Amino acid sequence: MAKWVYTFGDGQAEGRADMKNLLGGKGANLAEMASLGLPVPAGFTITTELCTYFYDNGRTYPAELEAQVDAALAHVEQVMDAKFGDPDNPLLVSVRSGARASMPGMMDTVLNLGLNDTTVEGLIKRSEDARFGYDSYRRFVQMYGNVVLGIEGSHFDQLLEEMKDDRGVDLDTELKAEDWKELVGAFKALVERETGQPFPETPKQQMWGAIGAVFGSWMNKRAITYRKLHDIPASWGTAVNVQAMVFGNMGDDCATGVAFTRDPATGENAFYGEYLVNAQGEDVVAGIRTPQNISLAGKARNQSPLPAMEEVMPELYRQLDGIRERLERHYTDMQDMEFTIQQNKLWMLQTRTGKRTSAASLKIAVDMAREGLIDQTTAISRIDPAQLDQLLHPMLDPKADKQVLTKGLPASPGAASGQIVFTADEAEDWAKRGLKVILARVETSPEDIGGMHVAEGILTSRGGMTSHAAVVARGMGTPCVAGAGGIRIDASAKTLSVGGTVLKEGDTLTLDGATGEVIAGEVPTIQPELTGDFGTLMEWVDKIRRLKVRTNAETPEDARTAIKFGAQGIGLCRTEHMFFDPKRITHMRQMILADSEANRRAALEHLLPYQRQDFVELFTIMRGLPVTVRLLDPPLHEFLPHGDAEVAEVAQAAGTTPDEVRRAAAQLSELNPMLGHRGCRLGITYPEIYEMQAQAIFEAAIEVSKTDGETVVPEIMIPLVGTQAEFDMMKAVIDQVAQKVFAASGTTLTYQVGTMIELPRAALVADAIAKNAEFFSFGTNDLTQTTLGMSRDDSGPFLEVYRDKGIYEKDPFASIDVDGVGALVELAAEKGRKTRPDIKLGICGEHGGDPASVHFCESVNLDYVSCSPYRVPIARLAAAQAVLHSKGSGTA
Amino acid sequence: MAKWVYTFGDGQAEGRADMKNLLGGKGANLAEMASLGLPVPAGFTITTELCTYFYDNGRTYPAELEAQVDAALAHVEQVMDAKFGDPDNPLLVSVRSGARASMPGMMDTVLNLGLNDTTVEGLIKRSEDARFGYDSYRRFVQMYGNVVLGIEGSHFDQLLEEMKDDRGVDLDTELKAEDWKELVGAFKALVERETGQPFPETPKQQMWGAIGAVFGSWMNKRAITYRKLHDIPASWGTAVNVQAMVFGNMGDDCATGVAFTRDPATGENAFYGEYLVNAQGEDVVAGIRTPQNISLAGKARNQSPLPAMEEVMPELYRQLDGIRERLERHYTDMQDMEFTIQQNKLWMLQTRTGKRTSAASLKIAVDMAREGLIDQTTAISRIDPAQLDQLLHPMLDPKADKQVLTKGLPASPGAASGQIVFTADEAEDWAKRGLKVILARVETSPEDIGGMHVAEGILTSRGGMTSHAAVVARGMGTPCVAGAGGIRIDASAKTLSVGGTVLKEGDTLTLDGATGEVIAGEVPTIQPELTGDFGTLMEWVDKIRRLKVRTNAETPEDARTAIKFGAQGIGLCRTEHMFFDPKRITHMRQMILADSEANRRAALEHLLPYQRQDFVELFTIMRGLPVTVRLLDPPLHEFLPHGDAEVAEVAQAAGTTPDEVRRAAAQLSELNPMLGHRGCRLGITYPEIYEMQAQAIFEAAIEVSKTDGETVVPEIMIPLVGTQAEFDMMKAVIDQVAQKVFAASGTTLTYQVGTMIELPRAALVADAIAKNAEFFSFGTNDLTQTTLGMSRDDSGPFLEVYRDKGIYEKDPFASIDVDGVGALVELAAEKGRKTRPDIKLGICGEHGGDPASVHFCESVNLDYVSCSPYRVPIARLAAAQAVLHSKGSGTA
């Protein structure tokens, strides 16, 4: 019989930390903490396999589940010495989701479950607090009614407001026990009106309702969106954790908090956390009350006026600090812990690997390796290459003048400027129109995910470092200033007031997520320093990785940036980008409109000096590193003008009529330009174009070799080859030009001629192509388009649906489609090497900077990846992780 | 040392008939005839390998060639008892091309080589005819000057005209020996003026010039065009035959002729041929004099007033008839022979497999098999499937009224109507504009090839059954009436007069190539009878072939035609073609413009009855044969209107504004629609479309099963699948609809769900797709586009160049690209069978009716091919030939 339920509590547990896939992160770690003897309220976890069963079987449970849950519940009752439905000593439980990967706030939770008109009296008896008892009861009815029974929360709020009006009070805290009791009655009546059923009275009935709601919430819209953004497969499912309640809100000897074993923003090795006295756990993360620091150091750092836990509850702080050390040593990683203090007793409610900023991630990994807690390879495995991105982007120029309006919490680092918008929907609308926005909210909620994702930065006026806004922004790598209390946000008026200043929708604002500063207008930024921990990590990385990392660059600026980031050459220099310069485009168009080879050659003569100078600059910057130059690739019509004025201008320059230009453009236009007259097809039909480019490359290489004394070895790449004959013909053209240039200059140099493998046919006949091709560079952008028969430009409308339905888990244009495109890459690599064992193999599509794709490249033993300059460090790290992964070491 | 030269003559030869690849067809057969002891003038063949060497080495020869040629020449001199340059007994030779495949008139020839001022006296002495001697000499100088030295022929003609003017005569025959002698001098002076060099006097010098010219002519424009039209690879090269001259023009005891061992037009087992007394061989095929029949039967059949060879030279006719029988028995195929009679001695100059009409090809093969000369499999191998096409096309309705203007020779069968044009260039121009043309010429020449290729029919006023027009038209399968002497064609005035009627350019004319009738206006046609020899052959074919042959059809008419041609089912029914009917397109457009699923469903409701009726008709016609229905495939924007009026109409019908329709169309438009939102991507995003189609299929199948008692097993095909998930989701939709329809109708039926493999990715993951797919149909049209990254619509401009340069020998959209697309088909077949050994595999692209592609399908063991109705018999034949080929039997 399948085991669907795992218990924990009282110093033992059926689960373990390494059973995350089965028990979810929360359940596995609760079990682990219980086994470690930490004070964990007893409970049980229903497995993720049950979730899969649930969805595979029309949202039903297996027959044997009920008996297993009953047995687990009995275990909890025994450990906690309380009973479900016991009028004197009732067991109350929480029912929470817990997936393999953390999805904060995305799924449903029910607290205080087990309360009814009988058991509330037992709770009152034991807490000696009728107001607390009825407040808990009404919270439960409201939460259950909303989450399980689907009644809108505002209906309950309205009843509460009416009650306060009726009593003539402003604050919840002014309501008395009898008021809460009356409200329970009103809430239950609301439930019966809305659902046609009385509110479920028996705790078991309540529990099964909550379990169903939590499993059901795996498929709610928020959760689906979150999974899509974080590449979490729907097939993983969630577990459900049913755990005895402990209360942080039974009085002033109670508290609740969230703590990190190290600072999640900076990575500093200091105990960092926030707590609230007399509060439920949700209050800390919901941002309703501004929480207090747990340590004195943290209080000082945040300049908080509120007392630290270290002062208020020194013994409990000491206990917690001990647990902190034990957990970090046990897990060998920074932990994010939730705790509750009920009547001076500390209970641990959760531990998990703590989310952290990119900077913190880097610092923690490097520090822990230095401390000997982990080794260098583990440190490398710990860094998410995508997160590293953050560290590589511009920061505010410290020397720039800036008008700081106010300061909030430095919740997620990085600098961002943009126009203010006040709702997530507006953020999405504006971003679609190409505008950069700062999303300003009092606080964010899971509904805001979409808008947060497109915003350059996020600003909230309420909430702490662990508020929803802060946690989500850090995960996204989006700069965030949270809890900026000096700001008043009026979303309906679309204004943001700070001091005397009032900013409106569309005004520009800058956030510095590293300092918490909120700044008027736009502030200049500078490049980050790539030294310190970053430099150390990169040193470790470079010792391990096998793949070389090149860059895709055609401008001197890109080439310089890439060199700074450690690029080992240029893997793709797209020559067509060089022709769009206004000085050149005219000649390019003359060339295209030429009616004879002689006229084409005349126009190309004009382009030659420009093209040669491009290569002189690139070769000079790259100082002897390899440079792969791709010959002209796009269809010629891409260079022709569209507007009337421009057409007239071109006509004049080309000595023809606008009608003639339009006629030529119409004749060149294509139904499917992606599959049209481009790539080496241009070289085959107009060899003179490639001749000019080859001449420019060779002349530039010779010039730079002479001037700089560096050996320039140009690699000339022929695009869109599908047959050996195409390659051979184009190589012959290039070789001929080389001989001419060498003869004219009285010098020679070494060069290579290779091809881009970007058509399925090229992969299939790679053995033949390799006879004369000295390198292959996999053009996975086009190879994806042709292999999948999917135009990148046109796939938006259905690819969205495809990802929703799980047909492609990831965007195949961002991360290589291993089963399809990958299979062709592997085949071509094998066939190429069979013909020419030392053939140089690389990848130069967008995928070159995608960590998963880099792993794939390692697995098929390519020689290098090439990516955009800013992605070079990411690729370096991913390349090292791929080596570790293939060796089975590391934890990534 | 390589052997470049092979001698023949005097009852022996170094070559053999089976050495065609090395010696070319002419050379190999001359050798074979010599070995058989037939009277062949001695000579030697320089191999095709030398041609390859020649082009690989900058048009130079290997050092050892000269010695080998000298030795061969000595052999010829010895056998013929004459010597090169001998003033008394000079050896004269012809230098002719001879490729592996016959390319009549495409390459250069030089005759009478060896004549100079000295040897001409020897020739005169031996022929006792000074006029003949100098005429031969001036012909030689003219031919050599034109062919080898590149001087325009008209320059020589002009000198001849001047001579005739000077002598006051009209005809060449009125010129005397001295006149010819003087003209030789004038010709040689012309050569020296034009080339700056005297005319080469030594026979060896002349011979090497001619050899170079013949090898060089392999790459002339005509030859390249011809090879492209006939799929002859440039790499084959030509051989050069140097052979002792014999003269058919030495007097009235001389003749020259061409004969076929059976009638090349009808296939009748009767000796058929034409000859001219006192003529050179070129005169017969050039159509300058209308030739005489060799047999009395032929003379009677053609109602010729001229005497037959059988009457004039009965003994020589008997000899020739004996050779006819011997050669046919030896070669076991119909032979096309050239002979010359010099002073009452018969010489054989060539034999080769005779070109024949499709009807003759069929009749000869079936007859020979019945006669026991060949077996049935050989008979099958003999028929060119492409030629069979001719027999399947309409003929003139014998009951139709027709105004026969005149009658010519029935040179190539088939009926054709079209508008008259008078030059090949005009034919090409008019055809490009979509017009059907009849090309009317006095006689055709190799320069006319392009125009002949696009013409519906060809009419000449001069020339016989073996004239250029007749031979080429038969090869092309184009109807031709040749030598219609009653017609006067004035190409400059663009008129054609016959009797009292004058037709102008653009007037409509009908030709009956089977009877030779030339008919005014257009005449209705009828379908050919598919019985008799055709039926017999198809019976033999069906006993041998393994591949089933289905048809691509969606209209009842196509389905009926296909059944008549022996189709064994429908392999591809494209449902989108059903939506363009005016009654339906409105609903289709409403569906596309619908802004909600509900509105889409409402529009689909309207389409359902039409779609169901389509399938009822198809299933009824197909009477239980399998029918593969492909669900909607093209992008939706293809159904939207473009013109303003139509947009307004659609807007009104859909209850919206023209602007809204235009906006919707713009939104749906795609940059690369081939790679866009189409195929199952429509089914994934709008499952209701496929639901409607599946419902229509199932309801129709049930209805027909009930009415007809036939078991209808529909095969539903999901297009453009790239992943298993897509297929599974769409199959689930179809299965659900099936269950609903079965429940509603109270009956069930068997059906299959499969997919089109038309994306490289689908081929790569075919093992996964086959888990639930019951059949694969290879959509090689799209698979070619994606594998080669080549849009069929856009590839014209470069594919032409590609074929010229030999990058693709054949159009990959017409004949499957075996190395690329074929590799994917093979891979998918293997993978599919690994998962599901009994998976049904077929092909349904254009390639299904292409014989070479059918061979490929046999080689990878597919179950069926599907092609257009008229190609079904071709595919049946090709399928049988493929079996024979794979067994290594047959001669194809």
Side-chain angles (χ1 to χ4, degrees), chain B residues 548-676:
Chain B
K548 287 200 169 6
V549 177
R550 298 194 189 184
T551 191
N552 301 346
E554 41 273 336
T555 65
E557 192 192 332
D558 277 354
R560 278 189 210 103
T561 304
I563 288 278
K564 203 178 61 190
F565 283 143
Q568 296 166 286
I570 289 178
L572 176 62
C573 165
R574 284 164 287 224
T575 51
E576 56 270 18
H577 289 206
M578 298 167 165
F579 293 123
F580 282 103
D581 180 282
K583 269 182 286 189
R584 308 173 181 193
I585 188 81
T586 308
H587 299 299
M588 189 66 187
R589 287 167 173 170
Q590 275 169 349
M591 194 276 289
I592 294 166
L593 296 171
D595 51 7
S596 68
E597 186 184 324
N599 288 344
R600 261 194 308 279
R601 284 191 185 278
L604 287 166
E605 265 314 303
H606 287 287
L607 288 169
L608 176 65
Y610 292 114
Q611 182 93 99
R612 185 170 47 221
Q613 190 51 34
D614 292 331
F615 295 127
V616 166
E617 285 179 43
L618 276 187
F619 291 149
T620 304
I621 293 165
M622 297 308 292
R623 301 191 66 81
L625 290 173
V627 175
T628 306
V629 180
R630 182 178 71 184
L631 301 184
L632 192 70
D633 183 53
L636 296 182
H637 51 77
E638 282 197 7
F639 296 94
L640 291 184
H642 297 288
D644 284 348
E646 230 188 334
V647 166
E649 199 179 299
V650 170
Q652 199 182 3
T656 178
T657 65
D659 274 354
E660 186 56 26
V661 172
R662 271 189 216 97
R663 199 197 51 75
Q667 202 183 325
L668 285 173
S669 79
E670 296 180 306
L671 288 175
N672 290 287
M674 161 68 208
L675 308 176

Side-chain angles (χ1 to χ4, degrees), chain A residues 669-678 680-685 687 720 722-723 725-726 729 759-762 764-765 785-795 797-798 801-802 805-808 817-821 823-824 827, chain B residues 669-678 680-685 687 720 722-723 725-726 729 759-762 764-765 785-795 797-798 801-802 805-808 817-821 823-824 827:
Chain A
S669 79
E670 297 181 306
L671 289 175
N672 290 288
M674 160 69 207
L675 308 176
H677 194 173
R678 47 169 292 236
C680 73
R681 295 163 193 173
L682 296 170
I684 296 281
T685 45
L720 211 74
T723 64
E726 288 169 299
M729 283 181 199
L759 297 176
R761 193 183 197 284
L764 293 163
V765 302
Q785 298 198 77
T786 47
T787 305
L788 274 56
M790 200 182 277
S791 155
R792 189 160 50 161
D793 298 320
D794 300 314
S795 56
F798 58 88
V801 179
Y802 267 50
K805 298 201 176 182
I807 296 173
Y808 286 107
D817 160 42
V818 174
D819 292 344
V821 176
L824 282 178
L827 180 74
Chain B
S669 79
E670 296 180 306
L671 288 175
N672 290 287
M674 161 68 208
L675 308 176
H677 194 172
R678 48 170 290 235
C680 73
R681 295 164 192 172
L682 295 170
I684 297 280
T685 45
L720 212 74
T723 65
E726 288 170 298
M729 282 182 200
L759 297 177
R761 195 184 195 284
L764 293 164
V765 302
Q785 297 197 74
T786 47
T787 304
L788 275 55
M790 201 182 275
S791 156
R792 190 163 46 165
D793 298 320
D794 300 313
S795 55
F798 58 88
V801 179
Y802 267 50
K805 298 200 176 182
I807 295 173
Y808 286 107
D817 160 40
V818 173
D819 292 343
V821 176
L824 281 177
L827 180 76

Side-chain angles (χ1 to χ4, degrees), chain B residues 369-674:
Chain B
R370 286 198 183 117
E371 291 161 18
L373 203 58
I374 56 177
D375 58 17
Q376 285 182 9
T377 57
T378 306
I380 290 169
S381 306
R382 287 276 171 85
I383 315 289
D384 176 357
Q387 243 196 346
L388 200 64
D389 208 11
Q390 271 185 264
L391 295 180
L392 308 173
H393 280 283
M395 300 187 295
L396 289 188
D397 182 351
K399 281 169 285 179
D401 283 338
K402 56 188 182 187
Q403 184 198 343
V404 178
L405 298 172
T406 187
K407 219 171 158 184
L409 297 173
S412 178
S417 298
Q419 293 177 273
I420 307 169
V421 293
F422 293 95
T423 69
D425 285 348
E426 276 161 3
E428 291 194 76
D429 284 353
W430 288 48
K432 266 186 203 144
R433 286 149 46 200
L435 301 172
K436 297 186 166 195
V437 299
I438 300 288
L439 177 61
R441 303 280 290 155
V442 174
E443 55 191 317
T444 62
S445 70
E447 281 79 20
D448 295 329
I449 285 281
M452 294 172 79
H453 199 66
V454 299
E456 301 294 313
I458 297 160
L459 171 64
T460 65
S461 56
R462 205 152 61 178
M465 288 294 282
T466 49
S467 65
H468 179 263
V471 169
V472 172
R474 283 200 293 273
M476 288 176 173
T478 302
C480 175
V481 173
I487 287 178
R488 271 192 308 125
I489 289 175
D490 184 338
S492 54
K494 299 190 177 183
T495 58
L496 180 162
S497 331
V498 50
T501 313
V502 177
L503 299 174
K504 295 183 307 296
E505 183 181 64
D507 287 348
T508 298
L509 201 64
T510 295
L511 303 180
D512 186 340
T515 62
E517 287 175 339
V518 179
I519 306 155
E522 193 162 350
V523 179
T525 54
I526 54 157
Q527 299 300 324
E529 280 294 320
L530 300 176
T531 51
D533 290 334
F534 178 84
T536 304
L537 182 80
M538 283 293 134
E539 269 173 39
W540 297 350
V541 154
D542 287 351
K543 280 191 292 184
I544 286 170
R545 75 183 159 96
R546 186 195 59 78
L547 279 167
K548 287 200 169 6
V549 177
R550 298 194 189 184
T551 191
N552 301 346
E554 41 273 336
T555 65
E557 192 192 332
D558 277 354
R560 278 189 210 103
T561 304
I563 288 278
K564 203 178 61 190
F565 283 143
Q568 296 166 286
I570 289 178
L572 176 62
C573 165
R574 284 164 287 224
T575 51
E576 56 270 18
H577 289 206
M578 298 167 165
F579 293 123
F580 282 103
D581 180 282
K583 269 182 286 189
R584 308 173 181 193
I585 188 81
T586 308
H587 299 299
M588 189 66 187
R589 287 167 173 170
Q590 275 169 349
M591 194 276 289
I592 294 166
L593 296 171
D595 51 7
S596 68
E597 186 184 324
N599 288 344
R600 261 194 308 279
R601 284 191 185 278
L604 287 166
E605 265 314 303
H606 287 287
L607 288 169
L608 176 65
Y610 292 114
Q611 182 93 99
R612 185 170 47 221
Q613 190 51 34
D614 292 331
F615 295 127
V616 166
E617 285 179 43
L618 276 187
F619 291 149
T620 304
I621 293 165
M622 297 308 292
R623 301 191 66 81
L625 290 173
V627 175
T628 306
V629 180
R630 182 178 71 184
L631 301 184
L632 192 70
D633 183 53
L636 296 182
H637 51 77
E638 282 197 7
F639 296 94
L640 291 184
H642 297 288
D644 284 348
E646 230 188 334
V647 166
E649 199 179 299
V650 170
Q652 199 182 3
T656 178
T657 65
D659 274 354
E660 186 56 26
V661 172
R662 271 189 216 97
R663 199 197 51 75
Q667 202 183 325
L668 285 173
S669 79
E670 296 180 306
L671 288 175
N672 290 287
M674 161 68 208

Side-chain angles (χ1 to χ4, degrees), chain A residues 88-101:
Chain A
D88 292 322
N89 188 17
L91 173 69
L92 303 186
V93 298
S94 63
V95 179
R96 296 176 197 262
S97 63
R100 198 189 296 193

